[in-house]
Amino acid sequence: MVSYKELGLVNTKEMFAKAVKGGYAIPAFNFNTMEQMQAIVQAAVETKSPVIMQVSKGARKYANPTILRYMAQGAVEYAKELGCANPQIVLHLDHGDSFETCKSCIDSGFSSVMIDGSHFSFEENIKLTKEVVDYAHQYDVTVEAELGVLAGVEDEVSAAESHYTKPEEVIEFATKTGCDSLAISIGTSHGAYKFTREQCTVDPETGKLVPPPLAFDILEAIEQKLPGFPIVLHGSSSVPQDEVDTINKFGGQLPDAVGIPESQLRKAAKSAVCKINIDSDSRLAMTAAIRKHFAEKPGDFDPRQYLTPARENMKKMYIHKIIEVLGSNDKL
Ligand code: G3H
Ligand code: 13P
Ligand code: ZN
């Protein structure tokens, strides 16, 4: 058993309480590679922001769970080396699918886990979430749960359609499970194709798709039921069109990729939404930089040559999100 406290990590409790009160949100960035980890830490240190580094089941499979845990430990030491005396870094399991996966993460040094029972019945979701909460809280590990279903791929669980969270269910769910935060469904979805053409309108000037607004009425109703309770938004990449254009210009094929407008996320961050999940935007930033590099320098074959601009582009994106969208800068 390794406690996250020995690794210099923190759980989400205090971080979320401050974020809800202060009207900002903590960035939750997924990572699979060393370059993503470096870019996240550099961005968090430079902006003096707390940060959640999250690991999906797919990331554990790709990179190896032990390596990812040591990378998170390395992230704390790297932040200190960059001049941040007291970094606030959470190592979080994203979309935990079973008690066993959550337990294995808690036992190996994660400071926070998500148990995603959103595809189960309400009763089964409560039962599974409570089981994880009871175990996690013994070790001061915080637990995120989910009510409502997001469209798109959630790790290996995919849903064609979203089901908005029902505000009338949240009090019973939070009380019976004892979860520390709640992911809700109000119109965000995973991946780079969040809406179909039919769901969008078209901007007459640019020809680009304009997505439908998030269901802020549902968010407000949930906030009224659970005042001050930490709310989480998944599927919150905004799919920057300049990155999509770069990818397409240099040989990629991402037609109609569309995300959540940053203005909507900014509005959500000012509410009880205190954790905003971003993964796809990092993938796009990395891919755009690599495609551009290869197009301009076809003779390069040393990964450091193309991963350096990729890392720089991700860092730029993370800093932009922290300062311009989430407002978590200068909160350490
Ligand atoms: O919610 C999904 C995250 O973007 C993780 O994606 O399962 O492909 O690593 P992944
Ligand atoms: P995006 O695909 O919008 O980046 O969402 C990531 C996410 O919710 C991770 O859990
Ligand atoms: Zn998610």
Side-chain angles (χ1 to χ4, degrees), residues 30 54 94-95 189-191 194 234-237 277-280:
N30 289 67
Q54 54 188 19
D94 192 24
H95 295 286
S189 76
H190 290 102
K194 298 194 186 297
H234 281 247
S236 296
S237 278
N277 285 13
I278 295 171
D279 186 1
S280 299

Side-chain angles (χ1 to χ4, degrees), residues 50 80 104 116 151 162 250 289:
K80 288 182 188 162
S104 136
D116 180 358
S162 70
F250 294 111

Side-chain angles (χ1 to χ4, degrees), residues 30 32 56 58-59 94-95 153-155 190 279 283:
N30 289 67
N32 295 262
S56 69
D94 192 24
H95 295 286
V153 177
E154 294 203 359
D155 225 315
H190 290 102
D279 186 1
R283 299 175 181 190

